Amino acid sequence: MNKIIIYSLIGLIVVGVGGFAVYKMTHGGQKQNESVATTRSDTGSGQTQSSTKQSNTTVSWNESGNGWVANGTPPSCPDLLNLKTPIDLTKATAVLYPGQVRGGDYKAHGGFLFKNSKNDDITVTAPLDAAVYRGSRYNEAGEVQYLFDFIAPCGILYRLDHLRTLSPAFQQIANSFPEPSESSRTTNLSTPVTVKAGDPVATSVGFVKTNNVSVDWGVYDLRAKNTASQDSSWASQHSNNSLASYAVCWLNDLSSADSAIAKALPAGDMQSGKTSDFCK
């Protein structure tokens, strides 16, 4: 049975989720899995002012047994999303492709590695106007990590994970989550918070103890399932990952210049390389 995220004019309230999620916002604006109910992937500088604010009600996206459905009339997505990269591409030393096996697990999301940088050299920003509607703070490898999921009004969901130090606005959101634990469960916001492309999300990423400077980024088109999912064998194999069927190759949805730079980066995973179920 679906659970609905109720928009109100009251402040931010956090509730646990155990089923499906419904998302509402204005037009304006694995590690275990990448399902809608539970997931874990995987102090701002003061130089950029955040435009995060509570969202009003007009459009909702509801996941049912037949997939995601818009409740209301969403705006059209552009043919080319022209996403902003959430990080400075000049600092990236390798790219992780979405839709491949990494570390023995299937990853529908991709990401970036920064072998020549320190953890707090990397700033993460919102790549698309959207609203954060759920997230998680959890313990992994002895360090606290943060994850946020966003939905843009036209039906594009994106995920940012392995965030280490958050901007003030996002730290305020994360403070409402349950205390960090080994659990991968995410928490929904009763009132999603809208962000603009370029708004600061985090000022440090990855793991300090292991000198792992990286960030995960997944993009999912909720309007229709992807081509890979049309293969019954593939769909059966990934049936426990409800977002995998909507994952897209975000390398193709960047500006032409950024896409060329990202695709020219070496593969971050030595085993799977640039093999991808979504990037063709």
Side-chain angles (χ1 to χ4, degrees):
M1 178 178 181
N2 290 349
K3 286 192 175 182
I4 300 176
I5 302 174
I6 304 173
Y7 282 65
S8 68
L9 297 178
I10 307 175
L12 194 65
I13 305 174
V14 180
V15 294
V17 291
F20 299 119
V22 174
Y23 161 77
K24 293 185 177 182
M25 69 171 287
T26 61
H27 285 190
Q30 119 161 168
K31 294 266 168 106
Q32 293 185 351
N33 66 51
E34 297 177 67
S35 68
V36 172
T38 60
T39 182
R40 185 176 80 193
S41 159
D42 341 342
T43 354
S45 63
Q47 296 178 348
T48 305
Q49 183 177 0
S50 173
S51 60
T52 56
K53 60 182 179 179
Q54 293 181 358
S55 171
N56 297 321
T57 303
T58 48
V59 177
S60 65
W61 284 90
N62 173 45
E63 190 195 26
S64 67
N66 295 321
W68 288 82
V69 179
N71 182 14
T73 303
S76 299
C77 293
D79 292 336
L80 176 63
L81 292 178
N82 202 30
L83 297 171
K84 295 180 179 293
T85 53
I87 50 83
D88 182 350
L89 270 177
T90 64
K91 296 182 179 180
T93 56
V95 60
L96 298 170
Y97 274 66
Q100 62 178 206
V101 175
R102 296 194 296 272
D105 295 319
Y106 186 80
K107 312 291 187 181
H109 60 266
F112 293 100
L113 307 180
F114 310 89
K115 295 182 179 179
N116 299 328
S117 302
K118 297 180 179 179
N119 301 80
D120 56 6
D121 289 337
I122 306 304
T123 297
V124 179
T125 58
L128 185 70
D129 292 359
V132 56
Y133 78 104
R134 70 178 180 186
S136 176
R137 57 176 172 177
Y138 59 91
N139 291 322
E140 183 175 333
E143 300 186 48
V144 176
Q145 301 282 284
Y146 296 93
L147 171 155
F148 292 100
D149 281 348
F150 308 70
I151 297 182
C154 72
I156 302 299
L157 183 152
Y158 62 88
R159 166 171 299 166
L160 297 170
D161 192 15
H162 291 309
L163 310 176
R164 182 173 177 273
T165 304
L166 302 176
S167 68
F170 276 83
Q171 188 62 59
Q172 183 177 0
I173 296 172
N175 288 343
S176 299
F177 297 157
E179 288 298 314
S181 71
E182 302 304 316
S183 172
S184 63
R185 185 173 294 273
T186 54
T187 298
N188 277 26
L189 307 181
S190 65
T191 304
V193 178
T194 59
V195 298
K196 289 290 189 179
D199 278 353
V201 179
T203 57
S204 181
V205 302
F207 302 86
V208 170
K209 294 180 180 179
T210 56
N211 195 31
N212 180 343
V213 187
S214 62
V215 64
D216 282 353
W217 183 28
V219 180
Y220 311 86
D221 188 342
L222 305 181
R223 297 171 299 169
K225 291 186 176 182
N226 55 35
T227 302
S229 67
Q230 306 309 308
D231 183 308
S232 58
S233 176
W234 186 97
S236 176
Q237 184 179 359
H238 303 290
S239 60
N240 66 335
N241 186 337
S242 65
L243 278 181
S245 293
Y246 297 90
V248 301
C249 179
W250 48 257
L251 289 92
N252 294 333
D253 288 314
L254 304 173
S255 68
S256 57
D258 283 352
S259 179
I261 294 172
K263 291 179 178 180
L265 288 169
D269 187 84
M270 299 300 293
Q271 179 180 359
S272 293
K274 295 188 177 182
T275 299
S276 168
D277 289 340
F278 314 130
C279 299
K280 305 297 184 182

